[in-house]
Amino acid sequence: MKRIIVTGGAGFLGSHLCERLLNEGNYVISIDNFFTGSKENIKHLFDNKNFESIRYDITEPIHIECDEIYNFACPASPIHYQRNPIHTFKTSVLGILNMLNLARECKARILQASTSEVYGDPLEHPQKESYWGHVNPNGIRSCYDEGKRGAETLMMDYYREYNTDIKIIRIFNTYGPRMNENDGRVVSNFIIQAIKNMPITVYGDGSQTRSFCYCDDLIDGAVKMMNNDNFIGPVNLGNTYEMTVLEFAKKIIDMTNSKSQIIFKNLPKDDPIKRQPDITLAKEKLNWNPNYKLEEGLKKTIEYFNNYINKI
């Protein structure tokens, strides 16, 4: 039985990861400061004797015996990471520094959940791992974009200097049950607005593109990466099926039988115009490919938000 730490374990993706790792017979320790994570996401795991939840902020050092560390701690939506940008940056940079030191101490393998935001507003499309990005270093999104880039730098430097056992994944737009309803992301925004028959807010003219990956597929890729002995990354994990935000809004209206109208608002600063992963490397090195069709994943997500709204 491996002892596995999941930082951000009470978050949207972290909670799905904890569940997966427990189902595989591991002892799982969730570390979360509950800034955006929620006990609701993991309360169904509390009775599992192999699960532990610790309220803690990884910007401070921590010492726990472990075999593996999945570092998923960091607000991932603009509304939340811009709410306290200095703390967001500290979570990415000081957080990974503390986790890398813990990995060295325990001789543990560590996986960093990086992001497609390291590519910024990309000039290359689709984005390959070899692309260095087009990032504004002093804009309102920089706390997240540059924080994650800095975290990748530290991962690689610990690998080169101390031979730390590292893995880096770059997560593209991911959705599914347990998304935070107030995180301002396009999937949760549109679904909630549609269920409530409220106007659906599209920023800009809706021609910007996104590619959406269902959470179970993403977690599968992360676990495959952690268990791969011959590849450190970085590797893109995401779905290659690309569509415009306007097309996506219409799909949500259709799938929820909503009476919502679409309204247009100004595009936020530094919002990426195109986002689509090149996953050739993930296919080749991890034998990974997303399995969920968009409609299949959206059906589960709409059902989750329907139940959530009915409970309120």
Side-chain angles (χ1 to χ4, degrees):
M1 183 182 284
K2 286 189 285 195
R3 284 175 61 86
I4 303 177
I5 289 173
V6 178
T7 71
F12 157 49
L13 284 177
S15 63
H16 286 284
L17 177 58
C18 287
E19 209 168 56
R20 164 77 181 257
L21 296 172
L22 283 168
N23 288 340
E24 290 182 351
N26 301 293
Y27 188 91
V28 178
I29 303 158
S30 163
I31 300 177
D32 204 302
N33 67 353
F34 298 106
F35 183 73
T36 55
S38 165
K39 281 188 180 172
E40 281 293 309
N41 289 339
I42 52 172
K43 69 177 186 183
H44 63 295
L45 305 177
F46 288 165
D47 290 336
N48 191 318
K49 68 182 190 311
N50 294 326
F51 181 71
E52 199 176 326
S53 172
I54 300 172
R55 186 184 195 115
Y56 194 81
D57 192 319
I58 62 162
T59 59
E60 301 293 333
I62 191 167
H63 303 280
I64 302 175
E65 283 296 319
C66 62
D67 301 300
E68 292 177 355
I69 302 166
Y70 286 84
N71 187 43
F72 273 68
C74 192
S77 74
I79 282 179
H80 292 308
Y81 67 63
Q82 289 168 16
R83 181 153 51 110
N84 192 338
I86 294 167
H87 192 265
T88 296
F89 192 80
K90 284 168 71 176
T91 301
S92 285
V93 177
L94 295 182
I96 195 60
L97 199 55
N98 289 328
M99 290 302 108
L100 280 163
N101 286 332
L102 180 60
R104 279 190 73 207
E105 211 176 278
C106 298
K107 296 182 172 52
R109 177 172 287 181
I110 179 168
L111 179 143
Q112 165 65 4
S114 191
T115 171
S116 60
E117 298 297 337
V118 299
Y119 301 121
D121 187 5
L123 302 177
E124 173 181 297
H125 189 75
Q127 295 83 55
K128 291 189 183 75
E129 292 85 352
S130 56
Y131 177 52
W132 289 357
H134 177 233
V135 181
N136 179 355
N138 42 42
I140 57 170
R141 299 172 69 104
S142 307
C143 59
Y144 184 70
D145 302 0
E146 296 290 37
K148 289 286 192 177
R149 284 161 71 94
E152 286 197 20
T153 301
L154 283 164
M155 289 282 284
M156 291 305 301
D157 285 339
Y158 266 68
Y159 169 72
R160 286 186 283 252
E161 191 156 338
Y162 304 119
N163 202 28
T164 306
D165 192 356
I166 69 160
K167 306 284 171 189
I168 301 170
I169 61 172
R170 289 177 177 162
I171 299 173
F172 281 69
N173 292 66
T174 303
Y175 70 99
R178 297 186 210 141
M179 289 185 85
N180 190 320
E181 74 280 6
N182 298 316
D183 70 4
R185 291 193 227 195
V186 68
V187 177
S188 48
N189 268 9
F190 287 4
I191 290 175
I192 288 171
Q193 288 166 344
I195 289 170
K196 293 182 174 179
N197 293 310
M198 294 164 59
I200 288 187
T201 49
V202 169
Y203 293 97
D205 61 4
S207 62
Q208 64 273 36
T209 67
R210 296 291 181 268
S211 313
F212 300 103
C213 184
Y214 188 63
C215 54
D216 289 3
D217 281 334
L218 191 284
I219 295 305
D220 187 52
V223 171
K224 281 186 170 180
M225 182 60 167
M226 179 63 96
N227 295 333
N228 187 295
D229 291 327
N230 306 309
F231 176 54
I232 66 169
V235 64
N236 291 335
L237 294 180
N239 198 309
T240 56
Y241 179 67
E242 184 184 21
M243 67 194 309
T244 69
V245 170
L246 187 57
E247 286 170 338
F248 186 67
K250 289 173 180 173
K251 180 174 278 295
I252 296 297
I253 289 171
D254 183 51
M255 288 186 70
T256 53
N257 296 314
S258 176
K259 297 182 177 68
S260 294
Q261 300 295 310
I262 296 170
I263 61 171
F264 297 89
K265 293 193 171 183
N266 290 336
L267 198 64
K269 189 165 169 30
D270 296 333
D271 195 51
I273 300 302
K274 288 186 179 293
R275 181 71 86 227
Q276 184 193 29
D278 181 312
I279 58 169
T280 306
L281 205 52
K283 288 177 180 176
E284 179 193 321
K285 300 287 188 181
L286 306 177
N287 192 27
W288 178 84
N289 209 18
N291 292 316
Y292 274 84
K293 298 277 186 286
L294 183 62
E295 289 76 11
E296 196 183 351
L298 283 177
K299 191 177 172 190
K300 288 174 179 281
T301 311
I302 290 165
E303 190 180 325
Y304 168 80
F305 278 114
N306 260 321
N307 292 335
Y308 177 85
I309 288 165
N310 289 334
K311 278 184 197 169
I312 297 172

